Amino acid sequence: MEIKYLETDRHYAIPYYARIPDEPQRIIIISHGFGSSKDSPTAQLMLNGLAEAGLGTLAFDFPAHGSSRAGVQALRVKNCMEDVADLETMLTTQYPQAEIGYFSSSFGAFINLLYISTHRHKGDRSFLRSAAVNMPSLFDRELTEAQRTELEETGQLVLDQEPPVTIPAGFLDDMKMYDLFSQYEPDETQIGMVHGDSDEVIEPKIAVAFSAYYEIPAAFIPGGTHHLDGEGMPEHILAMAEEFFRS
């Protein structure tokens, strides 16, 4: 599939894939998790699976992820939210008749909830997979003293994961500014959540607390880890997402 690029006023372009019919009734913006990309199994499943179900789809890369040509310093929470805003503006300009929805995983869900809380948006439905509702505390808990020292001395940190991700010190500063438990602002956007009951990254009890506090319907998949890639799980979540966006 051809990668397209949307130019921004932030000195970089947003790489994305799109499968949009001539007259779409709804288009889903698909955002990936931290360290992942638009080419991840989940993003590709949603991009193609929802498209085959008749929905328009667009999957993109956050700064410093996937095919992004943005430098490491562009990986900031504000830029991530503005990327979603620019993509939505592009879609609503090209397809003014189409309704907009969001499918987001983990870090992408964290960004999506901040986005709909702080930006005017057309999207009226958001489906959250393994939502990183406690993303800031996750970083604070997981960073070692050696990593904190590297950040202070070099201004950035290479995370030992596959593929490797480099984060700037400013991204960690951003994490100190956000708390979804107090800053999420519910509006008319319909929210749905799916989470594994064995998630080793975002503890299920955290997802339970968030969904209960904001009265968000949430489904918990037995035996599901953070990636929700157990036998039959991806296909089940695809079916759930299709039903959510069509209901």
Side-chain angles (χ1 to χ4, degrees):
M1 187 180 298
E2 178 188 2
I3 300 177
K4 299 181 179 180
Y5 289 87
L6 175 64
E7 294 293 336
T8 73
D9 61 4
R10 295 179 296 286
H11 309 293
Y12 64 83
I14 307 168
Y16 69 94
Y17 296 129
R19 290 192 60 180
I20 303 175
D22 290 338
E23 297 183 2
Q25 294 183 341
R26 180 178 288 278
I27 303 172
I28 312 303
I29 299 174
I30 300 162
S31 53
H32 60 78
F34 195 82
S36 188
S37 76
K38 65 186 182 316
D39 291 293
S40 70
T42 296
Q44 285 293 304
L45 178 65
M46 295 301 152
L47 178 74
N48 295 304
L50 294 176
E52 288 165 9
L55 297 163
T57 55
L58 182 151
F60 71 100
D61 286 327
F62 285 121
H65 286 71
S67 304
S68 174
R69 298 169 183 168
V72 170
Q73 298 303 320
L75 181 54
R76 302 296 297 267
V77 168
K78 185 175 186 290
N79 284 342
C80 291
M81 289 192 284
E82 293 305 320
D83 285 0
V84 179
D86 284 352
L87 290 165
E88 184 170 302
T89 296
M90 177 189 73
L91 292 174
T92 55
T93 299
Q94 294 180 359
Y95 307 98
Q97 80 288 353
E99 296 178 308
I100 301 295
Y102 316 104
F103 178 95
S104 51
S105 296
S106 194
F107 171 70
F110 171 76
I111 293 296
N112 182 253
L113 290 172
L114 287 175
Y115 170 71
I116 62 180
S117 298
T118 58
H119 289 63
R120 294 185 63 181
H121 59 279
K122 185 176 179 182
D124 63 349
R125 295 181 185 222
S126 179
F127 193 80
L128 313 175
R129 170 192 168 277
S130 303
V133 293
N134 63 332
M135 189 79 185
S137 63
L138 182 66
F139 268 96
D140 186 59
R141 183 182 73 216
E142 296 296 328
L143 286 184
T144 66
E145 286 305 315
Q147 288 175 319
R148 295 178 193 278
T149 299
E150 182 180 343
L151 268 172
E152 292 175 3
E153 293 179 349
T154 68
Q156 61 185 43
L157 172 67
V158 180
L159 296 181
D160 184 17
Q161 60 182 68
E162 186 57 42
V165 177
T166 303
I167 58 174
F171 182 81
L172 272 297
D173 292 336
D174 291 347
M175 289 292 101
K176 299 173 184 177
M177 298 171 55
Y178 297 103
D179 174 18
L180 281 176
F181 279 85
S182 61
Q183 293 172 311
Y184 170 55
E185 294 285 348
D187 62 1
E188 298 302 316
T189 308
Q190 182 179 342
I191 308 291
M193 292 177 63
V194 61
H195 212 91
D197 72 357
S198 298
D199 192 322
E200 72 286 9
V201 179
I202 309 300
E203 296 177 71
K205 66 181 182 181
I206 301 294
V208 169
F210 187 82
S211 64
Y213 186 79
Y214 287 108
E215 300 182 337
I216 297 172
F220 289 84
I221 306 299
T225 62
H226 189 62
H227 290 98
L228 288 170
D229 54 1
E231 184 177 357
M233 291 180 191
E235 294 77 14
H236 178 53
I237 293 168
L238 173 61
M240 291 176 64
E242 180 184 348
E243 181 180 1
F244 177 80
F245 289 120
R246 290 195 179 282
S247 62

